[in-house]
């Protein structure tokens, strides 16, 4: 049973130990460039999908009638039309519980969250650019110590952000759509309603999942509740923040800065006003791609395929797909 790994842009999976282990059971081909023709995949019953880089819709499944399994990581399947997969008899394998216990995927995002905080507060990218121009810039930076951090979403990642924030001697406030004061306190945070939190914090970091409730949550009204010296950090999902409103507010100086790793549309458009702002630090969705993350992801995806080869479907999001296949 042939297996294809899709979209390995960073060229890390070919020599990964988990992939090497899988190769002892099945032929595995790693594609490092985006697939432009589905004809290349017609002979692969199993696809290993790298996060959300490939969209799996009804047309995709119609073009690949031999497809049996999509193995993917993460705790969601935003990029998969699960109903269409089920009708086509294609299992969608997820391994989010194992990934969470290993912690690798979250760790790289957590570290980048603080990297962006430091980059914005200490103007690291701007200073580097000035130094390369032969300048010797001088300004008073701002420490994290003593500041108030507001965490939107106190889930697996948000809780770890709270732990590190306390190590920086920050006061931690938190809000989430289902968060309670008791749960916040267990993470060393103080629960506060969203609007009040935005008005009370020096730094706001978004750690929410994308959902109908969180999409567009930080609209212009809410962004303007933030203090003039406040900073916004987003390593979660771009669509949670109104980017056009944020760009206007940053340009006005109504808030001090932003560190953004995620955007509503990726890659970020060349004409995006965010690209022109000196008080915005932008990274290209670097939160999860890192060495330990990739090892964790490979292990998770391979375990899905191994379970399938062993006739176990407990990692399938849609086991009912097997009934459609039988027809």
């Amino acid at each position: 049973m042939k297996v294809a790994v899709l979209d390995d842009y960073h060229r890390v999976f070919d020599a990964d130990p988990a992939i090497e282990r899988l190769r002892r059971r099945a032929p595995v081909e790693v594609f490092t460039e985006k697939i432009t023709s589905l004809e290349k995949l017609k002979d692969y019953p199993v696809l290993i999908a790298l996060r959300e880089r490939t969209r799996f819709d009804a047309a995709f499944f119609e073009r690949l009638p031999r497809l049996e399994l999509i193995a993917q990581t993460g705790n969601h399947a935003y990029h998969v039309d699960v109903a269409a997969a089920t009708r086509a008899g294609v299992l969608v394998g997820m391994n989010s519980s194992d990934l969470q216990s290993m912690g690798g995927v979250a760790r790289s995002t957590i570290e980048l969250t603080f990297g962006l905080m430091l980059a914005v507060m200490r103007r690291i990218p701007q200073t580097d650019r000035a130094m390369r121009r032969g300048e010797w810039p001088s300004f008073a930076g701002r420490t994290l110590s003593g500041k108030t951090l507001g965490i939107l979403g106190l889930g697996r990642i948000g809780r770890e952000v709270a732990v590190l924030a306390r190590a920086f001697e920050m006061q931690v406030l938190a809000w989430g759509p289902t968060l309670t004061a008791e749960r916040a306190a267990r993470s060393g945070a103080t629960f506060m309603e969203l609007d009040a939190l935005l008005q009370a914090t020096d730094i706001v970091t978004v750690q929410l999942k994308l959902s109908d409730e969180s999409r567009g949550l930080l609209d212009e009204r809410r962004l303007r509740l933030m203090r003039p010296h406040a900073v916004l950090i987003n390593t979660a999902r771009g669509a949670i923040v109104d980017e056009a409103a944020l760009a206007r507010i940053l340009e006005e100086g109504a808030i001090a800065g932003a560190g953004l790793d995620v955007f509503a549309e990726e890659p970020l458009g060349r004409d995006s006003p965010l690209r022109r702002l000196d008080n915005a630090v932008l990274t290209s969705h670097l939160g999860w791609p890192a060495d330990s993350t990739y090892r964790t992801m490979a292990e998770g995806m391979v375990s899905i395929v191994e379970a399938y080869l062993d006739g176990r479907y407990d990692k399938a999001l849609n086991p009912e797909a097997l009934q459609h296949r039988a027809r």
Side-chain angles (χ1 to χ4, degrees):
M1 182 174 288
K2 296 173 67 177
V3 178
V5 179
L6 305 184
D7 301 323
D8 181 18
Y9 299 164
H10 294 140
R11 301 174 184 268
V12 297
F13 282 106
D14 205 40
D16 186 271
I19 297 294
E20 288 298 319
R21 186 178 77 235
L22 181 59
R23 281 192 168 114
R24 293 196 285 269
R25 300 189 61 178
V28 179
E29 184 169 357
V30 178
F31 290 91
T32 57
E33 304 295 335
K34 187 173 182 63
I35 297 294
T36 57
S37 172
L38 294 184
E39 187 69 16
K40 294 182 179 180
L41 301 178
K42 64 182 179 61
D43 294 325
Y44 293 92
V46 176
L47 301 180
I48 290 179
L50 205 52
R51 305 292 283 192
E52 302 164 34
R53 291 175 174 172
T54 297
R55 301 292 176 181
F56 300 99
D57 55 17
F60 184 97
F61 298 121
E62 289 174 7
R63 296 278 301 279
L64 299 177
R66 295 187 59 187
L67 184 60
E68 299 178 17
L69 171 69
I70 295 172
Q72 65 103 42
T73 58
N75 55 4
H76 58 76
Y78 299 142
H79 57 305
V80 182
D81 185 335
V82 178
T86 301
R87 292 193 299 271
V90 177
L91 292 174
V92 179
M94 299 178 67
N95 205 26
S96 58
S97 59
D98 290 350
L99 286 169
Q100 289 178 19
S101 66
M102 288 186 261
V105 174
R107 180 59 55 184
S108 59
T109 301
I110 293 162
E111 290 180 2
L112 183 66
T113 297
F114 281 89
L116 287 172
M117 288 185 204
L118 291 167
V120 175
M121 300 284 278
R122 304 305 294 270
R123 291 183 59 83
I124 295 171
Q126 298 91 332
T127 304
D128 175 77
R129 292 194 295 269
M131 290 287 288
R132 294 174 189 275
R133 293 192 298 266
E135 302 171 18
W136 187 262
S138 178
F139 62 91
R142 300 169 63 202
T143 65
L144 298 185
S145 175
K147 302 300 188 294
T148 299
L149 175 67
I151 304 175
L152 307 189
L154 204 60
R156 179 170 51 98
I157 293 177
R159 288 193 299 270
E160 293 299 316
V161 168
V163 169
L164 285 181
R166 293 198 304 276
F168 276 101
E169 299 182 341
M170 304 179 79
Q171 179 185 354
V172 182
L173 307 178
W175 172 87
T178 61
L179 185 64
T180 63
E182 292 75 18
R183 284 171 46 214
R186 289 199 292 270
S187 295
T190 300
F191 174 80
M192 189 173 283
E193 294 295 343
L194 178 56
D195 285 7
L197 179 149
L198 294 171
Q199 294 172 308
T201 49
D202 302 299
I203 304 172
V204 175
T205 180
V206 183
Q207 313 296 167
L208 292 161
K209 296 179 182 179
L210 183 62
S211 66
D212 291 340
E213 187 170 9
S214 68
R215 188 181 298 275
L217 180 74
L218 293 184
D219 56 13
E220 184 156 0
R221 182 192 71 80
R222 285 198 168 113
L223 290 170
R224 290 192 180 278
L225 294 176
M226 297 173 63
R227 298 174 176 182
H229 68 267
V231 166
L232 175 70
I233 305 295
N234 189 4
T235 58
R237 294 289 174 206
I240 295 172
V241 179
D242 182 336
E243 286 179 6
L246 176 61
R248 287 193 297 272
I249 289 167
L250 287 168
E251 188 169 21
E252 294 169 12
I255 65 173
L260 308 174
D261 185 50
V262 291
F263 306 92
E265 296 293 335
E266 298 180 357
L268 180 65
R270 288 181 177 272
D271 59 348
S272 169
L274 292 170
R275 292 184 181 270
R276 302 191 296 269
L277 298 173
D278 182 65
N279 55 351
V281 176
L282 312 178
T283 53
S284 52
H285 208 144
L286 302 180
W288 66 267
D291 49 2
S292 62
T293 304
Y294 272 126
R295 287 193 297 271
T296 302
M297 291 175 69
E299 185 62 42
M301 291 185 290
V302 167
S303 71
I304 294 169
V305 178
E306 289 174 329
Y308 182 73
L309 295 176
D310 292 338
R312 293 186 291 107
Y313 312 117
D314 54 299
K315 297 181 184 295
L317 183 65
N318 58 337
E320 63 274 18
L322 293 173
Q323 301 172 7
H324 291 264
R325 187 184 302 174
R327 295 176 186 175

